[in-house]
Amino acid sequence: MLLADHDVAQFHELGFVMIEGVFSDGEVRLLRDAFESVSRSDHPANVVEKHTGAIRTAMGLHRRHAVFDRLVRDRRLVEPAVQLIGDQQLYAQQVKVNVKAAEVGEAWQWHYDFATHHHEDGVVLPLALNLHIFLDDVTMDNGPLQFVRGSHLVGAHETFLDTETTSYDLWCVSDEVVQPLADVNGVYTATGAAGSLLIFGDTLLHASPPNTSALDRRIFSLILNPVANASTIDRRHDWQHHREFVPIVASSATSLLL
Ligand SMILES: O=C(O)CCC(=O)C(=O)O
């Protein structure tokens, strides 16, 4: 699946692109079931929220369930990534579902992914793409992602390591840095139906508020990075940054349903 020219243009201008209706209802059900199965296991890659113990994120999923192994090779993810990054061999750097459970799902602070990839994993260039599939309808109330439009064009923002706010350590950007840019460029809130595909780059400023609604908000996330730009530091768990730098080959299958 290739992106239309206007989607590619939007990605370069704003730093993200969203396409609704990419995965069918049946595929979304399959992915939710696979997630429910891995989330029940006692595994260190299931990270829980700081305040309630509800699951926050489940990582390393392509190594833990056959459906996610198929998904990381799905042409609807791999082909647009190659199109946007350029003709490079890509590996699966991180494979997870960020949950944000109804009423207890906590925030993700303002950050850009490359700050963590660089500081923690020694990745040299901000080339990775974060590809999301909505596993629930994402609304204004259940903790949608927010992006500062065009913030990927500004250059490196000053960062700090936040080990306090949530259970997941993250290199963050302060509100004092984000706010002036958000005032000028505007903020886009990524709402949409389950089955939507959202793609954003490594230097785009983003965050998401707590889930104050009665509806879960589960989002699958695959980060693809060029093999030539692989991590150089092995400090974090493998499930936080995989070190099997094997190029992903897009599958010829047109559906996840066998
Ligand atoms: O799931 C969320 O709300 C935030 C996810 C995020 O920030 C990320 O994938 O980098």
Side-chain angles (χ1 to χ4, degrees):
M1 181 189 98
L2 289 180
L3 299 173
D5 288 349
H6 59 87
D7 288 326
V8 174
Q10 183 195 308
F11 175 82
H12 290 302
E13 184 191 341
L14 300 180
F16 62 87
V17 63
M18 168 133 153
I19 306 170
E20 298 220 41
V22 175
F23 289 80
S24 69
D25 292 349
E27 290 177 298
V28 167
R29 275 195 298 276
L30 182 76
L31 291 168
R32 284 184 194 158
D33 288 348
F35 168 69
E36 289 310 320
S37 148
V38 293
S39 68
R40 279 193 298 272
S41 71
D42 183 17
H43 194 291
N46 288 349
V47 178
V48 297
E49 298 283 14
K50 182 170 184 169
H51 295 106
T52 58
I55 189 159
R56 175 176 178 83
T57 185
M59 308 181 89
L61 296 184
H62 62 317
R63 302 260 183 80
R64 299 172 60 195
H65 199 291
V67 167
F68 291 112
D69 183 49
R70 284 212 296 286
L71 183 58
V72 297
R73 287 178 281 113
D74 194 286
R75 59 196 307 173
R76 290 163 290 182
L77 300 179
V78 179
E79 290 174 354
V82 171
Q83 186 183 5
L84 291 174
I85 294 179
D87 191 15
Q88 302 216 40
Q89 294 188 316
L90 306 177
Y91 72 97
Q93 175 177 310
Q94 197 176 73
V95 184
K96 62 186 183 287
V97 168
N98 284 342
V99 181
K100 210 166 274 208
E103 290 165 0
V104 296
E106 297 175 26
W108 286 80
Q109 314 91 303
W110 282 107
H111 68 285
Y112 57 98
D113 294 345
F114 181 65
T116 296
H117 302 162
H118 183 65
H119 288 296
E120 299 294 335
D121 308 317
V123 173
V124 175
L125 296 173
L127 300 177
L129 287 181
N130 200 330
L131 300 111
H132 282 191
I133 303 167
F134 293 2
L135 303 186
D136 293 294
D137 293 344
V138 179
T139 70
M140 294 302 278
D141 300 323
N142 67 357
L145 270 97
Q146 300 174 324
F147 299 118
V148 178
R149 293 166 186 262
S151 51
H152 64 303
L153 298 174
V154 175
H157 304 278
E158 194 182 328
T159 53
F160 63 96
L161 179 61
D162 185 347
T163 59
E164 294 295 321
T165 306
T166 77
S167 57
Y168 194 83
D169 296 353
L170 198 63
W171 285 86
C172 294
V173 178
S174 71
D175 289 351
E176 288 70 35
V177 172
V178 174
Q179 199 56 56
L181 198 57
D183 289 345
V184 173
N185 286 18
V187 170
Y188 172 82
T189 302
T191 59
S196 300
L197 171 65
L198 172 68
I199 307 174
F200 57 97
D202 223 18
T203 52
L204 188 71
L205 282 173
H206 59 284
S208 61
N211 185 351
T212 56
S213 81
L215 300 174
D216 285 339
R217 189 234 65 175
R218 292 161 289 188
I219 297 179
F220 170 80
S221 158
L222 166 65
I223 297 183
L224 291 175
N225 187 37
V227 172
N229 190 45
S231 61
T232 58
I233 300 173
D234 288 352
R235 189 165 51 222
R236 295 205 297 168
H237 297 290
D238 183 76
W239 37 264
Q240 288 179 301
H241 191 130
H242 294 287
R243 288 187 279 280
E244 194 179 45
F245 307 131
V246 178
I248 298 261
V249 177
S251 152
S252 58
T254 52
S255 168
L256 289 171
L257 303 172
L258 294 173

